[in-house]
Amino acid sequence: DQQVKQNSPSLSVQEGRISILNCDYTNSMFDYFLWYKKYPAEGPTFLISISSIKDKNEDGRFTVFLNKSAKHLSLHIVPSQPGDSAVYFCAADHYGGSQGNLIFGKGTKLSVKP
Amino acid sequence: NAGVTQTPKFRVLKTGQSMTLLCAQDMNHEYMYWYRQDPGMGLRLIHYSVGEGTTAKGEVPDGYNVSRLKKQNFLLGLESAAPSQTSVYFCASSAFTARNSPLHFGNGTRLTVT
């Protein structure tokens, strides 16, 4: 049973517009969430994270929102740029869980068109 | 700074053959991980290590063994390869736990078992 779900396999956005990538989770024990970005033929790279004690974290063009009651988080990219075209993975962790075992979603492929 | 280096980049094995994937990091990180990524799936943790001489099982450890004899190296072994082990394998390292410090990934090893 998937604990971290990214229900949109792909998303296409026009350059300059907002990209919104969604992630849902089922395990109420999760208290820390991360987003990783992956380009083809490369390993994922860390993008942004958020603790469950917050509902928003911002880093430049990237903002992550957390809605604990809905068990939902989203990544906003504003404005979107062609270089943002990549696969975005949502990941979750819970305090006291296996030290290395982030639970990853299946990813959403973002395409930003010029 | 090379970061995390994986060798080889590609490999084709026949069922029943064995091989070792090598991961090397030059960031003096304590934690190292092996993940696999299958089509349409998120990253799944195979094994991880919290320091030199230690290893632990992740989410999908069956059919794999690991060793961390030196802090900078983390080896993943397949003793008797099976077609189900066809996947892209990513090694990662982090200074602290995955929730407290970003994972730094290598560029992956694409393994095909026929």
Side-chain angles (χ1 to χ4, degrees):
Chain A
D1 187 31
Q2 265 193 290
Q3 298 186 67
V4 177
K5 301 178 184 179
Q6 294 179 257
N7 292 320
S8 298
S10 63
L11 175 68
S12 183
V13 171
Q14 206 69 31
E15 180 179 6
R17 306 295 290 269
I18 185 171
S19 295
I20 300 176
L21 294 92
N22 293 305
C23 179
D24 297 294
Y25 61 96
T26 58
N27 188 340
S28 58
M29 296 291 290
F30 287 146
D31 64 345
Y32 201 80
F33 304 89
L34 309 93
W35 286 91
Y36 279 80
K37 177 172 73 174
K38 184 184 180 304
Y39 292 118
E42 295 184 8
T45 55
F46 171 75
L47 190 57
I48 194 169
S49 62
I50 187 167
S51 164
S52 62
I53 63 173
K54 296 184 177 181
D55 54 17
K56 176 183 174 181
N57 189 27
E58 192 172 356
D59 183 3
R61 297 185 297 113
F62 302 90
T63 302
V64 56
F65 296 92
L66 176 62
N67 182 334
K68 285 176 288 185
S69 61
K71 294 192 178 68
H72 176 82
L73 62 155
S74 60
L75 175 68
H76 293 211
I77 306 173
V78 185
S80 301
Q81 300 174 353
D84 297 328
S85 297
V87 177
Y88 290 79
F89 292 100
C90 172
D93 185 35
H94 66 84
Y95 185 79
S98 174
Q99 292 181 38
N101 204 11
L102 293 181
I103 306 298
F104 284 84
K106 292 183 178 182
T108 296
K109 183 177 182 179
L110 173 65
S111 299
V112 180
K113 299 185 177 181
Chain B
N1 217 354
V4 177
T5 303
Q6 292 183 232
T7 53
K9 290 182 171 52
F10 303 93
R11 186 72 188 266
V12 179
L13 287 179
K14 294 185 177 179
T15 297
Q17 288 184 321
S18 63
M19 78 162 294
T20 300
L21 281 67
L22 173 63
C23 177
Q25 54 98 1
D26 62 3
M27 295 171 283
N28 202 36
H29 284 170
E30 290 293 335
Y31 293 75
M32 295 188 75
Y33 317 82
W34 277 106
Y35 286 89
R36 61 178 287 174
Q37 185 190 13
D38 301 301
M41 300 287 288
L43 295 154
R44 292 183 294 169
L45 184 67
I46 304 170
H47 286 280
Y48 66 99
S49 167
V50 302
E52 180 179 320
T54 74
T55 63
K57 293 181 180 180
E59 183 184 354
V60 288
D62 293 342
Y64 305 95
N65 57 76
V66 287
S67 64
R68 182 103 182 264
L69 297 179
K70 293 183 179 181
K71 185 177 183 178
Q72 63 268 32
N73 295 337
F74 196 29
L75 279 63
L76 178 71
L78 287 73
E79 290 186 347
S80 179
S84 61
Q85 294 177 304
T86 293
S87 188
V88 181
Y89 292 85
F90 288 100
C91 176
S93 70
S94 63
F96 307 104
T97 62
R99 66 184 284 142
N100 290 321
S101 58
L103 298 181
H104 295 258
F105 284 87
N107 286 335
T109 295
R110 184 174 294 274
L111 175 66
T112 301
V113 183
T114 61

